[in-house]
Amino acid sequence: MKEQLLKLIKLQEVDLQINKINKELETEPEAVKALKEELKEVKEDLATAKAELEEREKIKRDAELELQDCEERIKKSKQKMMEVKTNKEYQALLTEIDELQSIKSEWEEKIIVAMDEIEEAKKVVEEKEKIVKELEQRLKEAQQRLEQSFTHFKKELVQLRQKREEMIKTMDKDLLKRYDFIRSRRNGIAVVAVDAEVCEGCNMHIPPQKYNELLKGDKLMTCPTCQRIIYWKGILENNGQTEE
């Protein structure tokens, strides 16, 4: 039984390594996740900045159309001045032209303001585009590093699974079934050490009589609290083994 227990302990070590690698493969690193979130936010900011730029450009286009219309009206009014026959009509056209000139000046001012706003909006867009480009490059590099790590993990996983298959060939089948059953219900840990009468699986005390039986190491025992398979920690030292 002692030999089978030692094999279980080694199998537990291998299974824990397998579980750890599987978790690494299933979990996206926080650094990559953070970069994706940051990139998403900056792209949203960029979209907002582009929409703002487009709005400013539309304001400028509309103002230019209004200015063009105003200039056409001034031109027509000046042409009419060549055709009027009375002073009253002439004065009325002068007043109309003055009003149109004032409106023209307002549109010209709006165009100047719009041009300034467009320049500022373009700078914001360029800045956001630069940040997006930098983040995309950083994310690409992070994902490449991640893929390299995953390749390494996958190779290691294959080796560990092969090792596990070799190990279980020499193990008692009923004991292995029991081990797998407990492991499936105890967060992947079925075999734990007992040190100074304390189970390292649940941190509960083992009754003195049961602990004395455990020290003998001649039969398979389980923790009365967590039901995991237990062993005296000193058994590893006595057999020249250390826990990982």
Side-chain angles (χ1 to χ4, degrees):
M1 182 53 69
K2 185 176 181 180
E3 182 184 349
Q4 287 293 315
L5 181 58
L6 289 171
K7 287 180 179 180
L8 273 183
I9 294 170
K10 295 302 292 183
L11 180 62
Q12 176 79 89
E13 293 173 0
V14 171
D15 282 336
L16 287 175
Q17 290 178 58
I18 290 173
N19 289 347
K20 182 180 179 182
I21 291 174
N22 280 330
K23 188 175 181 180
E24 290 286 350
L25 292 172
E26 292 170 2
T27 306
E28 187 176 55
E30 288 299 319
V32 174
K33 188 186 255 185
L35 278 173
K36 284 184 176 181
E37 287 297 322
E38 187 177 358
L39 180 58
K40 180 184 176 183
E41 290 177 6
V42 175
K43 281 186 173 181
E44 290 173 353
D45 290 343
L46 174 59
T48 300
K50 284 183 175 180
E52 183 68 20
L53 173 59
E54 186 177 337
E55 178 63 23
R56 297 302 167 190
E57 288 176 337
K58 182 179 182 301
I59 290 173
K60 178 175 174 288
R61 288 194 301 271
D62 290 345
E64 287 173 339
L65 288 174
E66 292 291 345
L67 175 62
Q68 183 179 351
D69 178 68
C70 193
E71 288 175 337
E72 288 294 326
R73 290 169 64 188
I74 290 172
K75 183 178 179 181
K76 289 179 181 179
S77 295
K78 286 182 176 180
Q79 288 175 344
K80 285 181 182 179
M81 289 181 70
M82 305 297 293
E83 300 170 4
V84 296
K85 301 188 185 302
T86 65
N87 187 55
K88 184 177 179 181
E89 289 176 326
Y90 186 81
Q91 291 299 323
L93 284 171
L94 280 178
T95 301
E96 182 180 321
I97 290 171
D98 285 341
E99 290 175 352
L100 288 171
Q101 289 286 6
S102 178
I103 295 172
K104 177 186 173 185
S105 295
E106 290 177 4
W107 286 119
E108 287 174 339
E109 182 62 29
K110 287 182 180 181
I111 290 171
I112 292 172
V113 171
M115 288 174 66
D116 289 339
E117 290 177 343
I118 287 170
E119 286 304 309
E120 289 301 315
K122 282 182 177 179
K123 288 178 183 178
V124 173
V125 169
E126 289 171 1
E127 181 184 350
K128 297 297 181 184
E129 286 177 336
K130 182 180 178 182
I131 295 173
V132 166
K133 188 175 180 180
E134 289 174 352
L135 284 173
E136 286 176 337
Q137 181 61 31
R138 285 171 57 192
L139 179 59
K140 180 180 177 182
E141 291 171 356
Q143 288 174 325
Q144 287 174 343
R145 290 193 297 271
L146 180 61
E147 185 59 35
Q148 290 172 356
S149 296
F150 277 7
T151 300
H152 170 74
F153 284 140
K154 287 173 183 176
K155 287 181 180 178
E156 189 176 352
L157 189 59
V158 170
Q159 293 172 352
L160 286 168
R161 284 174 175 167
Q162 290 174 343
K163 183 178 180 180
R164 188 183 199 279
E165 288 301 313
E166 290 299 316
M167 291 175 70
I168 64 176
K169 286 179 182 178
T170 61
M171 296 182 67
D172 181 84
K173 302 306 177 186
D174 290 334
L175 179 59
L176 186 59
K177 285 181 181 178
R178 186 174 179 182
Y179 163 79
D180 286 331
F181 178 82
I182 297 171
R183 190 164 64 94
S184 68
R185 284 159 176 75
R186 289 291 181 268
N187 198 29
I189 301 175
V191 186
V192 294
V194 172
D195 187 25
E197 300 185 22
V198 175
C199 171
E200 293 187 347
C202 61
N203 295 317
M204 298 298 290
H205 277 275
I206 303 296
Q209 184 178 350
K210 196 173 184 72
Y211 182 66
N212 289 333
E213 292 178 17
L214 185 68
L215 293 177
K216 297 176 183 178
D218 56 1
K219 66 177 180 179
L220 191 72
M221 299 180 66
T222 57
C223 172
T225 303
C226 68
Q227 307 304 315
R228 291 183 174 93
I229 297 169
I230 55 176
Y231 63 90
W232 173 50
K233 199 167 189 177
I235 196 176
L236 298 178
E237 297 174 3
N238 294 342
N239 285 272
Q241 299 180 50
T242 57
E243 292 183 288
E244 291 183 10

